[in-house]
Structures are given as C-alpha cells and as structure tokens.
Amino acid sequence: MVARINSEAVLGIDAYLVMVEVDLSRGVPTFSTVGLPDAAVKESKNRVETAIKNSELELPLKRITVNLAPADIKKEGSGFDLPIAIGILAANGAVKPDKLEQTVIAGELSLDGTLRGIRGALPMALSCRANGLTKMIVPEENAKEAAITQDIEVYSVKSLKETVQFLNDEIDISPCRVNLDEVWESASQYTEDFSDVKGQESAKRALEVAAAGGHNLLMIGPPGSGKTMLARRLPSVLPELTLPESLETTKIHSVIGALAGKAIVAIRPFRSPHHTVSDAGLIGGGQYPRPGEVSLAHNGVLFLDELPEFNKNVLEVLRQPMEDGRVTISRAAISLTFPSRFMLVAAMNPCPCGYFGDLHHNCTCTPSVIQKYISKISGPLLDRIDIHIEVPALTYDELKERSSGEKSETIRDRVNRARTRQLERYKDRKGMYCNAQLSSKDVRKYCDIDTSCDELLKTAISKFGLSARAYDRILKVSRTIADIEDSPNIQPFHISEAIQYRTLDRKYWMV
C-alpha cells in the first residue's frame, strides 16, 4: 500500500509543496529514501524508526521506500521526520486517511517521539495557502509563526503519538489562533531609544537626515565616542514596517532560524556582523544558497563597525546588493535571488591608533599610515555612501549631563513626514521611494537649485577641494534636509548643512 502525505520544503526564502510517498512491500526489512535527500533527510530513518517504537506504535517489519517528489530538487532539513513517520503508519493502516488530503505536515522528531521546531514555518504556511490546502500540522514551537497567515487552520502538536491520535479523531485539537494586532503590538517595541544618547547632537541630526532620505552613512571618530550606540538606535527612527515588509523580513529570518521564538518581525532589523565575516557569510552562499547578513538586514540596517578592518573582497561584494536591493547567488545546481534592501551604516576610527585629530590624545600614526588606512575603503563603495560625519569624543560636561535628549518617537514623526513627501514626489516612478535612490539624471530633475545655492556649492567645491562624486550627493542630501524642513525648494542653508556631511571629501581633513 502507498500512502501520500503533503509536506513542504524551503528553497531560498520560499517554500514549495513536497509529496511524501511511502510504500510498504514484502521482503527483507529495509528503509530507503529517494528524491534527492540531503544528509539530514537520510538520517531521518533512524529518528523515525526509534520515535515510532518509543511512541508505543507498531513499526512494520517490511521493506519501506520513501519518495520525496518532485525528485529533481534537493531536499534539505529535518522537517520531513513527522510526515515520513505518519506516511509509514498510514501505509500500515494505523492512521486514517480522511484528514491527510488537505493537510500539510512538517516537524522534526526526537528519539522519544516528541517534536522539535523547524525552520521556515511561515514560508511553508504561505505555500500551503497558495496551493489551496486548508490545514497544517506543525510542532508547538512553530504554531504561532505559521498561524500569522490567518487563512489556514494551523494545529499545534507536541509529539508523534498526539499527531496520530488527532488524525484518528481520538483527541480534539483546536486550531491555533493569533490576534495579529496583539502580536504586532508586543513585537513592535524598540528597547533602545535616542534619548539614551548623551551629547552628539550633530551626529543625531545626521542620522535623522540619513533615515529621512534612506541615505547610507559613515561615522568617523575615536574609540568610545558612541558610534555603535548611535547606530543601534537608528532603526527606532526609521518609518514603521508595513505588514508586507514584515512578512518578507520574517520569511528570511524564519528560514535561517533567527526568529528566536517570535511569531513575526515587527521592527526594523539591525545586523552587525564581525569584521572577520566571509563574503559568503555577508551576502549568502553554500552549495544550496542560504541568505547572508545583507538579506537578514532587509528592510532594516546593516552596521559595519571598524570598516577598514573588513577584507577588501568582502566589502566589494556589497556593491550589487546596495545598488539593486537584491543579491543573486549562482551555483552549478541552482541560482537564487534574495532581497537585500537595507541602509548601510559604517563606523571607523580616523586612523589605526584611533586618535588622529583628538585634542586630548596624541596620534602615533604617520601621514602615510593614515592615508593607507583610509584608502582601504574603495572609491566605488564610498560612491554609495552619501553621508560621512565626524563623531568626536564626549566632553566631561556632556557625560555628566542628566537631562535626556529627544525621544526616537519624536524624531520618527519628522522622518515619516519627510518620507511621505518623497513618496508623493516619486509616485509616478515605480520602485522609487526615497531620495537616496536618485540617479545623476534624477538629481538634475528633482534637485533644482537657484543662483545663490549654485554659488555656495561652487565656493565649497573650490575651497574644500570636494571631489566630483560629492556634488550629486550634496544635492541629494540637501533635498532630504529640505523635506525635513517642509521646504518645496532647496535653500542655501540646506546646501551648507549637506556640505558638512562630506568629511572624507574635504582635502584639509586628509594629511
């Protein structure tokens, strides 16, 4: 007899339907799995057999053949344990077939028959709905995540024995229900706030401008000046996640196993990989590619601390995801595309010792060493960073200040208003939603300036020796500052502020 069980597998960040076919036949008792299973799926044989025995269920002493269809796609993960076990029992007549036709089953088995959580429950639930199936059985750990989809009945089970009893109508299990509003409210609270940051008013202003226009940002300052503290609070002033953005972000975190017990990602993600990260770890990779840090930062912030310490090849692979908002990873077996629309925030010391320009510490670095340190950041990468600012060390008076600064909520209100103006301005431009996306041609169209602004910009370029790439970026940032100030046109004081955000382009800064 052949039993057929619906299950799901994850490919990239999306899931697809897998039919688990189990055949019991006469012959020497064996257990074989076909359909391109990976090592984890092949090892399910031992987990399934032991779990069935320890659940006080009968393991048929027959030749067991398991096929995972479609057979031409590699199957990964441990989520096939439960459907394989149910398939064996159904083929042996121990499970009624009534509920199996419209039900997707996924779960990892322990040796005692209890269930462990799996990765990718949300993409599986979305695929289940897309394929017209109405029910899903998952481990208790994944029930709320899967139930976010709302349109299917998600049943939470704790063990193989409980699953069998439910399918045989011996016990009743109510579908898991999730109040999306309540889950969203509890998951959308930021734990860090800009009011915690003492001093650094100019840096806070620069981060507000970056958030309002979606601009990438580089902070330069000595150790302990608060660069990391500022960066960690940037997501709290970005516009709130929409539900489609949240679901897309949650899918990525689900397939990588980074949800940490949450049902949904309702705040902007913040990712801060160590400078020893590999290029595969940053953009994703593997024989069957998985998302990397740039995709985990999708719709949020990617923070690179100690930027010059990253390997050059690692920084260079950032160029495609920063430009396109997605990253494509091609292997001999498959090519996958992951979303990667993020804000890049980077931090670095002004020199290897960290104290170049500091009034209270002597810098021990020679001019050539400082130049070599700065040049580790390539021109093409700097071309994609609109704002670079200096973050000086705090004074004693700033450190002892007891009053708190402006709250993130207040700053986010201004950012939201600026983003709304940009959405209205670019409503006829598909895929454009903020000033950071303006091309050189778009800058001429949307960042028109009058004679006084033109004279100011000309003087700044001549006096400070600003580079050619600084011109467009100053205009884009000026447009964002004007949006924050609710000004329809760019004014000279907007240009003046934007010029201050080009630290690395000023010749006097270099030695």
Side-chain angles (χ1 to χ4, degrees):
M1 178 181 176
V2 176
R4 292 180 173 85
I5 309 296
N6 297 311
S7 190
E8 297 275 353
V10 174
L11 186 63
I13 63 169
D14 295 308
Y16 63 96
L17 191 64
V18 174
M19 181 65 70
V20 179
E21 301 175 324
V22 180
D23 175 73
L24 302 182
S25 57
R26 295 179 180 178
V28 177
T30 57
F31 192 126
S32 60
T33 305
V34 296
L36 286 183
D38 73 347
V41 180
K42 289 179 180 177
E43 290 174 353
S44 67
K45 165 191 172 181
N46 298 319
R47 292 192 296 272
V48 168
E49 288 180 338
T50 307
I52 290 175
K53 292 176 181 177
N54 289 335
S55 298
E56 300 177 350
L57 299 168
E58 182 183 352
L59 178 67
L61 296 177
K62 296 182 179 181
R63 181 177 179 177
I64 302 173
T65 304
V66 178
N67 178 44
L68 307 176
D72 59 340
I73 303 177
K74 188 82 169 179
K75 315 300 185 308
E76 295 183 294
S78 56
F80 293 109
D81 291 3
L82 183 58
I84 289 174
I86 296 297
I88 292 173
L89 296 170
N92 198 39
V95 172
K96 296 178 181 179
D98 302 354
K99 293 183 179 180
L100 296 177
E101 187 175 344
Q102 286 295 311
T103 304
V104 166
I105 301 175
E108 178 185 340
L109 284 170
S110 299
L111 296 183
D112 61 358
T114 56
L115 288 172
R116 291 194 175 101
I118 56 173
R119 296 179 177 180
L122 177 59
M124 290 178 184
L126 294 172
S127 174
C128 176
R129 182 178 65 182
N131 283 286
L133 300 173
T134 59
K135 298 179 177 66
M136 190 172 185
I137 297 176
V138 294
E140 187 177 34
E141 184 179 329
N142 303 111
K144 288 186 177 180
E145 176 190 343
I148 289 294
T149 52
Q150 303 284 308
D151 299 329
I152 60 173
E153 295 179 2
V154 176
Y155 295 95
S156 166
V157 291
K158 300 177 181 178
S159 65
L160 172 60
K161 186 173 183 178
E162 185 179 39
T163 308
V164 171
Q165 291 172 336
F166 170 67
L167 292 172
N168 288 335
D169 294 321
E170 297 172 9
I171 61 172
D172 183 50
I173 300 177
S174 299
C176 179
R177 303 295 183 191
V178 171
N179 186 319
L180 188 55
D181 292 335
E182 291 181 1
V183 171
W184 187 274
E185 180 65 27
S186 63
S188 60
Q189 303 300 316
Y190 289 94
T191 58
E192 296 170 322
D193 195 278
F194 260 97
S195 60
D196 302 331
V197 182
K198 296 181 179 180
Q200 302 296 9
E201 297 304 323
S202 61
K204 291 179 188 177
R205 170 66 176 181
L207 264 69
E208 178 182 340
V209 172
H215 303 287
N216 299 319
L217 177 139
L218 172 63
M219 294 182 284
I220 308 164
S225 58
K227 302 185 294 295
T228 301
M229 188 177 188
L230 286 163
R232 287 190 178 279
R233 283 152 180 78
L234 180 59
S236 68
V237 301
L238 290 173
E240 297 85 348
L241 276 177
T242 63
L243 184 58
E245 286 178 329
S246 176
L247 289 175
E248 189 175 34
T249 305
T250 304
K251 282 169 59 178
I252 300 170
H253 286 244
S254 176
V255 300
I256 211 73
L259 280 181
K262 295 181 293 185
I264 193 170
V265 176
I267 61 175
R268 300 276 175 183
F270 178 88
R271 302 294 298 185
S272 179
H274 192 260
H275 64 259
T276 57
V277 68
S278 66
D279 50 0
L282 191 63
I283 68 165
Q287 184 177 359
Y288 282 80
R290 298 177 65 192
E293 291 291 337
V294 296
S295 296
L296 289 168
H298 180 59
N299 290 322
V301 174
L302 177 67
F303 178 53
L304 302 183
D305 200 6
E306 305 295 344
L307 185 64
E309 302 300 329
F310 284 79
N311 289 333
K312 187 173 182 179
N313 65 304
V314 173
L315 294 179
E316 291 306 306
V317 299
L318 276 174
R319 288 160 60 180
Q320 185 210 354
M322 289 175 67
E323 192 75 23
D324 301 334
R326 62 183 183 275
V327 57
T328 300
I329 303 172
S330 298
R331 296 292 182 265
I334 197 169
S335 178
L336 293 174
T337 298
F338 301 113
S340 59
R341 190 175 63 248
F342 58 87
M343 273 186 65
L344 175 67
V345 178
M348 60 179 285
N349 294 329
C351 65
C353 78
Y355 295 111
F356 174 63
D358 193 299
L359 298 177
H360 305 289
H361 297 83
N362 291 324
C363 175
T364 59
C365 305
T366 63
S368 60
V369 168
I370 297 174
Q371 182 63 48
K372 184 178 179 181
Y373 181 75
I374 300 297
S375 64
K376 288 182 179 181
I377 310 169
S378 68
L381 181 60
L382 277 177
D383 275 346
R384 290 163 175 82
I385 301 178
D386 293 339
I387 298 175
H388 355 117
I389 59 168
E390 292 181 74
V391 184
L394 291 172
T395 64
Y396 176 76
D397 289 338
E398 289 173 322
L399 287 172
K400 73 174 184 177
E401 181 64 44
R402 293 184 178 275
S403 61
S404 58
E406 206 170 20
K407 290 183 175 293
S408 291
E409 185 178 0
T410 305
I411 300 173
R412 186 168 61 241
D413 287 341
R414 294 197 295 268
V415 169
N416 283 333
R417 290 195 294 270
R419 286 288 185 106
T420 300
R421 296 184 189 98
Q422 293 165 52
L423 288 172
E424 179 64 25
R425 183 184 302 126
Y426 309 130
K427 62 183 178 182
D428 297 328
R429 299 291 302 276
K430 185 178 180 180
M432 183 177 289
Y433 58 92
C434 65
N435 293 329
Q437 296 175 294
L438 294 174
S439 65
S440 295
K441 183 179 179 180
D442 293 326
V443 168
R444 306 295 181 270
K445 179 178 179 181
Y446 296 107
C447 302
D448 191 32
I449 55 177
D450 59 21
T451 304
S452 59
C453 291
D454 187 62
E455 288 296 324
L456 176 61
L457 191 52
K458 180 180 178 181
T459 301
I461 290 176
S462 301
K463 182 176 180 180
F464 296 129
L466 298 178
S467 66
R469 65 171 168 260
Y471 179 80
D472 283 350
R473 276 144 189 80
I474 288 174
L475 289 178
K476 286 198 289 185
V477 174
S478 299
R479 179 67 269 173
T480 299
I481 297 170
D483 289 337
I484 294 174
E485 303 296 334
D486 197 19
S487 172
N489 300 312
I490 298 174
Q491 302 296 329
F493 63 90
H494 300 147
I495 296 282
S496 297
E497 182 177 350
I499 290 170
Q500 302 304 310
Y501 300 146
R502 299 300 301 177
T503 296
L504 287 184
D505 283 314
R506 299 185 211 161
K507 287 183 179 177
Y508 75 84
W509 189 85
M510 300 300 297
V511 289

